[in-house]
Amino acid sequence: MSILLLTSVSSEEEAMWLNKLRSALPEEDVVLWAELSDKAEVDMAIVANPPQGVLHTLSNLKWIQSLWAGVDALLVDPTLPESVPLVRLIDPTLSASMAEATATHVLALHRDLPRYARQQERQEWRQHELRRSSDRTVGILGLGEMGVASAQQLRALGFNVRGWSRSQKNIEGVGCFAGQDDLKAFLNGLDILVNLLPLTPETKGILSADLFSQLPKGTGLINFGRGGHQVEGDVIAALDEGQLSHAVLDVFSQEPLPANNPLWGHSHITLLPHVAAPTNPGTAVEIVADNIRKYRKTGQLPKQVERSAGY
Ligand code: NDP
Ligand code: OXD
């Protein structure tokens, strides 16, 4: 049987993944779509934003392993075979990278860096009151792999930390809120809101005027989840009205963000090109190779995506 590597990344990046996978799995036949002679020979697919309409043509596919943590782009493929288990990337290196990005940008907002950058443009020498991290409350939407690592990092920096998830959690030192009924209480009194939710039918558009109106005036926003979480017009309006003080946006509904998008030029937006926590090819390939070896030996699959929940 063969393992198909199916991506829509550049040919250079795809070749890099192929080489790493072949080195990590010398006993396996890892192939690209263009090299495939018999589709029935494929029992496993390793994917990174694969083109739609291909996976369902593989009649002997036993499971799909994503190289990304988020699987929203995969799940929108209407032809994605329902019965084939889907496994997403869970990698402690990725979570550590996200925790670092969260800490970086929470600290930047906490220490007023965007405001001082705007002052510098005007050559304005003006000091603002310095608050302690323990005087700030940071709320994290999503308490999964990314959210928990980020919460722990922020606790270590002295911030008050809250998190919101679908099911109730109990995390030492973190105020845990769960479900729609708890959302209002979670948002109440935050200084900075960080989004680390997966994009699902339930979370789409959650960063909207309605949610912003439940935050204290002047809250900072960080979106490292997906572009589909933010209603762009509502983010701009909330910034213009001062309801949000600043937004750090790493993800967008359309990536790369088109040149004419007004988010580019907004003075209260820090715009990043989806770099909060990129997949680390070295550690990702080790994890994927381990998953595959375990499956070959025991027939056991790693933890699967819950299709009905969308993550
Ligand atoms: P997980 O699946 O581990 O965690 C998701 C969290 O969101 C869980 O706590 C879950 O609740 C919560 N959640 C899901 N739906 C809801 C809902 N309707 N209401 C409340 N809480 C909800 O995902 P990860 O932490 O690994 O990743 C999160 C997302 O981060 C990815 O899907 C991806 O979009 C994004 N990401 C972005 C990157 C970047 O570079 N910008 C890099 C990597 C990931 P519960 O625990 O109860 O299930
Ligand atoms: C991911 C990402 O989901 O890079 O892994 O956004």
Side-chain angles (χ1 to χ4, degrees):
M1 298 304 282
S2 302
I3 299 175
L4 175 67
L5 173 63
L6 189 64
T7 80
S8 57
V9 299
S10 69
S11 48
E12 291 81 13
E13 200 183 330
E14 192 174 64
M16 177 276 292
W17 281 110
L18 186 65
N19 289 337
K20 285 195 185 299
L21 285 164
R22 282 180 174 159
S23 309
L25 292 162
E27 67 283 16
E28 297 282 350
D29 178 40
V30 187
V31 293
L32 293 175
W33 180 252
E35 301 165 334
L36 196 61
S37 49
D38 181 4
K39 286 194 248 177
E41 277 296 303
V42 175
D43 68 342
M44 221 175 281
I46 300 174
V47 303
N49 281 356
Q52 292 197 4
V54 176
L55 291 165
H56 80 106
T57 66
L58 306 168
S59 54
N60 285 317
L61 194 60
K62 298 289 181 296
W63 60 285
I64 302 164
Q65 167 74 59
S66 170
L67 292 171
W68 300 161
V71 288
D72 46 292
L74 261 166
L75 293 176
V76 293
D77 179 351
T79 68
L80 191 71
E82 286 261 338
S83 55
V84 180
L86 173 60
V87 176
R88 68 192 193 92
L89 182 68
I90 297 182
D91 180 353
T93 303
L94 192 67
S95 310
S97 181
M98 183 60 92
E100 185 181 85
T102 302
T104 301
H105 292 280
V106 164
L107 283 171
L109 296 183
H110 163 58
R111 298 300 299 246
D112 271 337
L113 295 195
R115 193 180 196 180
Y116 286 118
R118 290 193 297 274
Q119 283 186 199
Q120 184 178 350
E121 276 175 20
R122 301 191 293 270
Q123 299 192 351
E124 181 184 344
W125 184 276
R126 189 161 161 220
Q127 296 165 341
H128 302 282
E129 182 202 356
L130 180 61
R131 286 169 65 185
R132 292 173 304 174
S133 58
S134 58
D135 294 333
R136 303 256 195 209
T137 302
V138 184
I140 303 179
L141 291 166
L143 279 176
E145 304 293 329
M146 305 293 145
V148 170
S150 298
Q152 285 165 344
Q153 182 74 74
L154 294 174
R155 278 297 302 144
L157 290 166
F159 292 98
N160 299 301
V161 184
R162 291 181 196 164
W164 184 69
S165 51
R166 212 156 57 104
S167 56
Q168 186 64 48
K169 310 278 175 216
N170 183 4
I171 303 166
E172 203 189 331
V174 177
C176 293
F177 296 73
Q180 281 302 325
D181 291 350
D182 256 5
L183 185 58
K184 195 176 160 86
F186 162 80
L187 297 169
N188 183 32
L190 293 185
D191 293 286
I192 298 170
L193 176 68
V194 182
N195 177 40
L196 289 172
L197 286 167
L199 184 63
T200 70
E202 274 187 33
T203 64
K204 187 167 184 272
I206 188 169
L207 302 177
S208 65
D210 177 47
L211 181 141
F212 301 147
S213 71
Q214 298 175 59
L215 291 165
K217 199 167 174 65
T219 302
L221 171 69
I222 299 176
N223 185 13
F224 288 160
R226 283 290 183 260
H229 287 131
Q230 70 215 3
V231 181
E232 290 183 4
D234 289 4
V235 173
I236 291 176
L239 289 166
D240 290 346
E241 290 156 8
Q243 183 59 22
L244 292 176
S245 54
H246 195 85
V248 180
L249 307 178
D250 182 57
V251 284
F252 305 92
S253 293
Q254 194 183 345
E255 295 179 6
L257 188 67
N260 62 0
N261 189 299
L263 297 173
W264 277 115
H266 201 290
S267 59
H268 288 252
I269 291 179
T270 299
L271 202 148
L272 301 165
H274 202 140
V275 289
T279 296
N280 177 300
T283 54
V285 162
E286 274 176 40
I287 287 164
V288 168
D290 268 358
N291 287 349
I292 292 170
R293 276 194 290 266
K294 196 176 285 167
Y295 172 72
R296 292 284 191 231
K297 212 166 151 189
T298 67
Q300 261 181 6
L301 288 171
K303 184 174 172 232
Q304 292 158 39
V305 168
E306 199 186 317
R307 296 276 190 106
S308 58
Y311 68 101

